[in-house]
Amino acid sequence: MISVFDLFKIGIGPSSSHTTGPMRAAHRFAATLAEADLLPRTARVTVTLLGSLAWTGKGHATDKAVILGLSGEAPETVDPDRADALVAAVAAARRLTLAGRHEIGFDPAADLVFDFETAAPRHPNTLELTAHDAAGTLLARERWCSVGGGFVLREDEPADLGAITDDVPHPFATMEELLRIGAATGLSIAAIVRANETALRPPEAVTAHIDLVIDVMMSAIERGLAAEGMLPGSLRVTRRARALRARLEADSSRNDLAPHEPMDWVSLFAMAVNEENAAGGRIVTAPTNGAAGVIPAVLRYYRDSCPGASRAGLHDFILTATAIGGLFKTNASISGAEVGCQGEVGVAASMAAAGLAAARGATNAQIENAAEIAMEHHLGMTCDPVGGLVQIPCIERNAFGAIKAISAASLAARGDGSHRVSLDQVIATMRQTGADMNTKYKETSLGGLAANFIEC
């Protein structure tokens, strides 16, 4: 399994794989130089972006993320309101304070290279960082892969990705194993995950992190609902959440409300978060930034609209979603550059469906059914961001992912949990579909909507 601390990370937009991951890799590279006492000798650092990081890095703020990481900023603690100013100051002065401690010359135009030619051998999201002394002697070289959801690993590292296999009472790697544990112990999926988490950390630390995740999600909704103006980037997309909220609130005073109005609010909540993400604001990777609006929208729906909603239910939601997201991460991928958007919005919808079902008292079998239904109807979804920006179709796509999640949870709750296709089979199908998918549909902006939309 993968921990709730790893799967739900606090960061900034617009992309977990193209912003959060590269920032974390650059931060770790600078920290490695400091630990090896190489900072005083370092005169120049160069960064080369390969694969999808090159093709869509500009629109996903990968260059900004690398500069922030090299400067000692981490995704969890960077101030989104001052990030742009810090990056602008580096570009203007052509100077960078490496690891926040040692000033070097750094010209983004020359030292940050978007390499569209060199193949990325292990993962399509790869960056190479090098450090040289004043004489040009190589001091350090590292290649990092940003493998989705803000997870990073060096190119030569094993892909354990923070998986927990030892020292927990209930290790599992498949849904079949998880269901078997539940049947043998009588525990819910949420209780199984909590037992594993608290075997590694104090219970209060687990509770505090879940509360933080929920609070940041709700804050992202509120910020997105309050903000207006234009999102950054060449598409000149106008924020819609605030205006949509005003219209929905005006409609709420009428006596002839449409039956689907609650779903309009769910769509609004998802769009509010993803507009905030597109603007580089503070969000939770859930399990990625591009899909960050699905789980908060469904969580808010549970909190505000479901009878009997409670804080305990919110916690069960997050813990159950962790189990489902971890299975996808372990056995397939949550990287749009590897498997398309089925691995981002599709996985988020599956996690949200399972979480909502759990919060509303579903059995483990019904929870598995909810997760399976939600992913089954995202299979084959491509990742084709127009202009390389996490805006079109990403913002609205999160709204539809949230609606699908609620429908999946509702369908599963009306059954007894028995179904023909298992979640493990759907996860395997998603992995195979991603492998078969043409590369241009996997976060390169070379196919799909990105290729057929003409910017004026």
Side-chain angles (χ1 to χ4, degrees):
M1 61 164 280
I2 290 174
S3 172
V4 65
F5 287 80
D6 292 316
L7 196 64
F8 289 102
K9 300 183 181 74
I10 313 301
I12 62 171
S15 172
S16 52
S17 60
H18 288 59
T19 313
T20 303
M23 189 190 305
R24 184 166 284 118
H27 181 273
R28 291 185 183 177
F29 180 71
T32 298
L33 294 176
E35 291 165 5
D37 201 27
L38 291 173
L39 279 184
R41 296 174 55 194
T42 301
R44 186 187 183 199
V45 169
T46 61
V47 183
T48 302
L49 305 176
L50 307 174
S52 181
L53 293 185
W55 287 108
T56 61
K58 289 284 187 182
H60 285 60
T62 306
D63 44 357
K64 167 184 169 181
V66 167
I67 291 170
L68 290 171
L70 291 175
S71 301
E73 300 285 352
E76 299 82 1
T77 55
V78 64
D79 181 356
D81 295 329
R82 62 178 288 271
D84 286 336
L86 190 156
V87 172
V90 169
R94 298 183 183 179
R95 306 289 296 175
L96 184 148
T97 305
L98 190 60
R101 294 163 49 185
H102 173 65
E103 187 173 289
I104 61 171
F106 187 85
D107 181 2
D111 297 327
L112 217 169
V113 178
F114 291 78
D115 184 346
F116 301 101
E117 303 296 332
T118 304
R122 179 170 180 180
H123 192 279
N125 295 331
T126 297
L127 63 161
E128 181 177 278
L129 304 102
T130 64
H132 294 80
D133 65 15
T137 303
L138 179 68
L139 300 176
R141 174 185 284 118
E142 292 180 355
R143 272 196 171 191
W144 286 81
C145 300
S146 179
V147 295
F151 289 86
V152 295
L153 69 157
R154 284 191 297 274
E155 194 176 58
D156 57 353
E157 281 183 318
D160 61 9
L161 305 175
I164 299 169
T165 56
D166 301 318
D167 302 322
V168 295
H170 308 299
F172 61 90
T174 67
M175 191 71 210
E176 182 181 3
E177 292 174 354
L178 185 54
L179 290 174
R180 191 182 305 127
I181 293 167
T185 62
L187 294 174
S188 68
I189 291 173
I192 292 168
V193 175
R194 183 179 287 278
N196 285 345
E197 296 286 354
T198 55
L200 300 171
R201 298 177 178 88
E204 56 270 21
V206 176
T207 297
H209 181 71
I210 296 172
D211 281 335
L212 175 63
V213 165
I214 294 169
D215 291 345
V216 173
M217 285 181 173
M218 297 304 162
S219 295
I221 291 175
E222 294 303 328
R223 287 197 311 274
L225 292 176
E228 56 186 346
M230 200 165 289
L231 294 173
S234 60
L235 295 179
R236 300 181 62 80
V237 171
T238 300
R239 285 182 182 252
R240 290 183 286 167
R242 180 170 175 167
L244 288 172
R245 178 187 193 176
R247 294 191 190 102
L248 283 173
E249 288 176 339
D251 289 345
S252 66
S253 61
R254 302 193 342 250
N255 293 324
D256 59 342
L257 295 178
H260 63 262
E261 186 189 4
M263 295 302 100
D264 290 342
W265 280 98
V266 171
S267 296
L268 172 61
F269 295 147
M271 291 173 64
V273 173
N274 278 83
E275 287 181 353
E276 190 67 15
N277 175 65
R282 174 79 64 207
I283 51 87
V284 178
T285 57
T288 68
N289 288 28
V294 175
I295 290 176
V298 180
L299 197 68
R300 179 71 167 257
Y301 166 78
Y302 165 74
R303 191 195 76 176
D304 293 355
S305 302
C306 293
S310 65
R311 197 71 179 179
L314 294 171
H315 279 231
D316 284 348
F317 188 121
I318 295 298
L319 289 166
T320 304
T322 297
I324 302 305
L327 292 176
F328 278 100
K329 182 69 177 170
T330 301
N331 299 304
S333 175
I334 57 172
S335 168
E338 275 193 305
V339 295
C341 198
Q342 60 175 355
E344 298 205 25
V345 169
V347 172
S350 187
M351 293 168 66
L356 179 60
R360 302 207 65 195
T363 66
N364 288 351
Q366 289 170 322
I367 290 167
E368 189 233 4
N369 193 14
E372 181 273 325
I373 293 170
M375 172 49 76
E376 185 176 311
H377 301 290
H378 280 91
L379 289 173
M381 180 176 282
T382 61
C383 183
D384 51 353
V386 174
L389 298 164
V390 192
Q391 297 175 16
I392 301 173
C394 316
I395 294 170
E396 288 180 352
R397 187 169 283 176
N398 274 256
F400 281 89
I403 299 300
K404 284 186 181 181
I406 294 171
S407 295
S410 180
L411 281 171
R414 299 199 181 273
D416 61 4
S418 60
H419 53 289
R420 299 298 297 274
V421 179
S422 72
L423 179 62
D424 287 331
Q425 290 169 329
V426 167
I427 292 173
T429 302
M430 190 268 270
R431 183 186 67 246
Q432 293 159 4
T433 303
D436 292 340
M437 190 180 291
N438 191 299
T439 300
K440 68 182 181 181
Y441 298 118
K442 295 191 280 190
E443 209 166 1
T444 62
S445 290
L446 297 175
L449 286 175
N452 289 289
F453 175 84
I454 306 301
E455 292 190 57
C456 298

